[in-house]
Amino acid sequence: MKYDSIRHDPTGFPLILVPEIGLYVHGLPVTKMQFEHFLCDATDGHFDSRWYDEIRRLNPRVSARRIWSGNYWNAFLSGILPAEAERFAAWCGPGYRLLHTSEWQRLYRTLEKQNGISLEETGLLAGLAPHHRELITQVERAVEDACTQSGDRCHLTERTLMRMGLIEWTALEGPSPNLWAGLGEPHPSFCGNLFTPAQGDFIQPADGETCRLASFGFRLAFDPTLVQEDR
Amino acid sequence: MWKFLKEILGIKDPLPPGPQGSDRRAPEPLSPSLELLSASQHGKTSFLWALSYMARNLSLFWPKYACWPQDAAMDASFRAMLAALEHRELPGETSALSRLGLSLRGMERWGDRRLFVEDDRDPVFGVAEGTATDPREVNWGVPVCWLLSLPDLGTEEAQVVDLQLDNLIRARMRSARSFEAQPLRLVIALTKADRIPDLPPELRDYLKNDPLAAVVEAESRFSGGGEEPDRPLLHFDERSVHLYLETLGAIHQKVATWLATTLPGSLLARRADAHHITLRFCLLSATGSDLRSNGHLAIPWRPRRVLDPLFWALELGCR
């Protein structure tokens, strides 16, 4: 797999083309920094300051310079409900959506095979604004440290936080009473867990569509087939 | 002669039949057959709930296995634990004494045993914490399982573990002169292991891949009315139990090696060695995750490796 195609969402954060699933995918889960762009634009009363206070109570904010292996998950937007994540996707524009569970799992398996590649080497950091670049590189460094401390591998699954990150909301496929399921294996200090996402370990919390859980976040995909882009 | 042989071989007299038996006898007076000790908030109640759940389901592996509570009070306690687990509840601070008293019959390798453990104000650590003012007598003649939650120890409290072991040894010396000649058989179970950040990957994988829990979960999904899942088969026969115990031994070694690289672990090992303690390590997660919402787990309980302390206790001579 060669990562040679990058695009950026409206907040300036990078998505990378993953040919194996035919989608551009956020290199990391959506950060608070990204979501704050949306909050500034949101015109209805739902995403008000009280809403964001509650989110930050569940998972406090951290500035890029203060990120380390014991708090890097604070940089990400979590505690969000699936419907709210969809609102963010809609704000990003046509073609943006949450990943399906099968796409997430295929992405995981694809990245798992990429040994020893840094995010820089994937091209993900090219052309980024300095503060975006700083945030991403600080997170990557923190994850490397966390992996070193536990003697764990640090492949692209970890660098992109599909492991050691959040539980990510994904859209369930097939007949199911639920629309959404979480996939991921957060850092044990963020949320104790023994999840095995690559083995179809879907996390379907009771009241997951109405009850905020501190470790649930999301990343978006951009599906080129859904839009006719101006050339 | 027979009595003597039975005692040294750990062979028990036949258990009274289950509640449905026609020749039911009055239960014998009970004393703990496995002593569970832990400081508060180190996962004792959760462990007991998860152990109840797994003990009830052992018939999935052992065709001749049966378990039942030993009296009406135990039955109520047992049902309450299972119901709480079913409703994804999480224990609060232990407020009332609860007991798990089960007759376990037909276990491969170990046969028939009684399991009796108490979830109380801890008779050793509770005294030091000031929560147990009139502690019960600990039965030091049976294996002792010390539940220890590393995530609940701050790194600055490295010596706490050593001090707690010292408390335990002193408590035994104070109350159990008759056992002084015997080495203390101590199983240290690292609880809440899903939250240990620097747990080596192979130990984390061991927790994730619990074959007994996989069978129980598959059965639970199946009996829940859903589609029949891939149902893992496990014949926990003599050979399988032997292999499981070999793995348990290897995990003990790995935990010991890993702990020896930490300050609390090295202090612990030194003291245990000085007191000639027969020490076994294992690790478990009673809930399987810490995904909480409003005082409940957001997903069902997923106990992992909670039978390991029981298996160690049986191996070390649980009666």
Side-chain angles (χ1 to χ4, degrees):
Chain A
M1 185 173 71
K2 182 168 170 55
Y3 300 95
D4 55 3
S5 191
I6 303 289
R7 62 175 293 140
H8 297 90
D9 70 15
T11 71
F13 272 77
L15 295 92
I16 194 162
L17 178 65
V18 184
E20 286 82 350
I21 57 173
L23 297 171
Y24 290 84
V25 181
H26 268 140
L28 291 173
V30 170
T31 61
K32 289 192 176 78
M33 191 187 282
Q34 281 166 282
F35 209 82
E36 284 160 6
H37 284 266
F38 164 68
L39 290 179
C40 292
D41 257 12
T43 51
D44 64 40
H46 181 75
F47 295 102
D48 58 12
S49 60
R50 279 201 317 187
W51 181 91
Y52 200 37
D53 287 344
E54 172 65 5
I55 291 290
R56 283 179 301 174
R57 187 185 63 79
L58 291 170
N59 182 18
R61 196 181 194 285
V62 65
S63 63
R65 288 182 185 179
R66 293 180 182 273
I67 287 172
W68 65 292
S69 62
N71 73 353
Y72 61 85
W73 46 86
N74 292 159
F76 297 93
L77 196 281
S78 72
I80 194 163
L81 305 176
E84 293 167 343
E86 280 194 304
R87 289 279 304 277
F88 177 77
W91 174 81
C92 283
Y96 285 92
R97 62 171 173 80
L98 270 72
L99 287 159
H100 297 149
T101 47
S102 63
E103 292 167 345
W104 194 98
Q105 289 181 298
R106 281 161 60 203
L107 175 62
Y108 185 99
R109 285 193 286 270
T110 301
L111 297 181
E112 212 172 16
K113 295 171 192 160
Q114 310 298 313
N115 300 349
I117 299 177
S118 68
L119 293 182
E120 180 84 65
E121 288 168 310
T122 66
L124 197 73
L125 305 185
L128 286 185
H131 58 296
H132 292 172
R133 187 184 180 90
E134 182 187 21
L135 179 66
I136 295 174
T137 52
Q138 286 285 83
V139 167
E140 187 178 19
R141 195 170 301 142
V143 175
E144 277 178 1
D145 289 347
C147 289
T148 303
Q149 284 159 19
S150 62
D152 219 327
R153 66 182 192 203
C154 195
H155 294 180
L156 268 186
T157 36
E158 287 73 32
R159 292 175 191 277
T160 58
L161 293 187
M162 297 199 78
R163 268 193 77 232
M164 310 280 278
L166 314 173
I167 304 170
E168 299 179 21
W169 283 119
T170 57
L172 269 172
E173 299 143 302
S176 168
N178 298 323
L179 295 172
W180 308 99
L183 280 167
E185 187 186 345
H187 189 284
S189 294
F190 182 35
C191 175
N193 76 96
L194 298 167
F195 301 146
T196 51
Q199 296 169 23
D201 189 5
F202 300 160
I203 312 303
Q204 298 183 61
D207 308 323
E209 295 187 26
T210 54
C211 188
R212 300 189 187 284
L213 294 164
S215 49
F216 273 68
F218 69 106
R219 78 178 72 212
L220 294 183
F222 176 79
D223 186 347
T225 65
L226 294 178
V227 288
Q228 295 290 324
E229 287 190 284
D230 292 335
R231 299 276 175 191
Chain B
M1 177 69 171
W2 266 115
K3 191 178 175 191
F4 171 72
L5 277 175
K6 279 180 179 178
E7 273 183 17
I8 62 169
L9 293 172
I11 299 170
K12 302 308 297 173
D13 289 331
L15 287 170
Q20 283 78 36
S22 57
D23 58 343
R24 187 178 179 187
R25 282 179 275 162
E28 294 172 15
L30 291 170
S31 61
S33 50
L34 165 64
E35 282 287 0
L36 271 189
L37 302 175
S38 88
S40 62
Q41 306 297 311
H42 278 236
K44 189 196 273 188
T45 309
S46 295
F47 170 69
L48 214 51
W49 291 7
L51 181 63
S52 305
Y53 176 71
M54 291 300 289
R56 187 188 62 167
N57 283 295
L58 279 170
S59 56
L60 293 171
F61 325 114
W62 288 324
K64 295 176 184 170
Y65 172 86
C67 89
W68 61 88
Q70 288 167 340
D71 57 34
M74 297 294 180
D75 186 44
S77 178
F78 186 52
R79 286 173 191 274
M81 289 183 204
L82 295 175
L85 187 142
E86 188 74 22
H87 293 115
R88 298 184 284 103
E89 289 176 19
L90 288 166
E93 193 175 338
T94 305
S95 53
L97 174 70
S98 61
R99 293 168 166 174
L100 177 66
L102 296 175
S103 291
L104 310 176
R105 172 179 280 184
M107 291 188 290
E108 183 65 51
R109 185 182 181 93
W110 300 292
D112 303 339
R113 302 295 172 95
R114 290 192 182 90
L115 175 66
F116 179 61
V117 289
E118 296 198 52
D119 178 21
D120 50 6
R121 301 289 185 186
D122 194 90
V124 172
F125 301 115
V127 174
E129 292 167 350
T131 54
T133 50
D134 184 21
R136 67 175 169 81
E137 197 66 27
V138 175
N139 181 359
W140 294 103
V142 298
V144 173
C145 179
W146 176 16
L147 302 175
L148 177 63
S149 168
L150 293 181
D152 290 312
L153 297 169
T155 50
E156 73 279 8
E157 297 175 282
Q159 289 176 329
V160 166
V161 179
D162 181 46
L163 292 173
Q164 287 189 341
L165 179 59
D166 187 46
N167 280 342
L168 195 149
I169 293 166
R170 285 173 188 276
R172 183 177 189 249
M173 288 167 68
R174 276 197 303 272
S175 70
R177 297 275 172 211
S178 58
F179 292 113
E180 269 180 8
Q182 298 178 19
L184 171 61
R185 292 164 290 171
L186 182 63
V187 180
I188 298 184
L190 304 181
T191 57
K192 308 185 192 182
D194 58 286
R195 283 177 46 202
I196 300 176
D198 52 351
L199 191 68
E202 63 268 32
L203 292 178
R204 196 167 163 78
D205 286 343
Y206 175 75
L207 277 175
K208 284 181 180 177
N209 302 310
D210 179 350
L212 307 181
V215 173
V216 171
E217 274 175 23
E219 187 64 25
S220 170
R221 285 198 298 273
F222 177 59
S223 58
E227 286 180 32
E228 183 166 9
D230 292 336
R231 299 173 77 181
L233 285 174
L234 182 72
H235 300 293
F236 211 38
D237 55 14
E238 186 181 355
R239 186 170 172 276
S240 301
V241 172
H242 180 73
L243 289 173
Y244 193 98
L245 292 175
E246 277 188 356
T247 306
L248 209 53
I251 291 298
H252 154 71
Q253 286 294 347
K254 283 180 183 170
V255 173
T257 304
W258 168 59
L259 284 178
T261 65
T262 67
L263 181 57
S266 54
L267 291 172
L268 184 82
R270 198 168 57 189
R271 189 174 294 276
D273 197 41
H275 289 270
H276 309 291
I277 295 173
T278 304
L279 197 58
R280 297 289 182 274
F281 289 106
C282 60
L283 70 169
L284 61 95
S285 170
T287 58
S289 79
D290 196 32
L291 203 56
R292 312 165 169 249
S293 167
N294 300 325
H296 285 62
L297 274 186
I299 58 175
W301 281 55
R302 298 172 164 197
R304 292 290 182 272
R305 303 290 182 178
V306 292
L307 290 167
D308 287 6
L310 175 64
F311 292 159
W312 268 132
L314 290 168
E315 278 301 280
L316 293 176
C318 170
R319 284 179 283 172

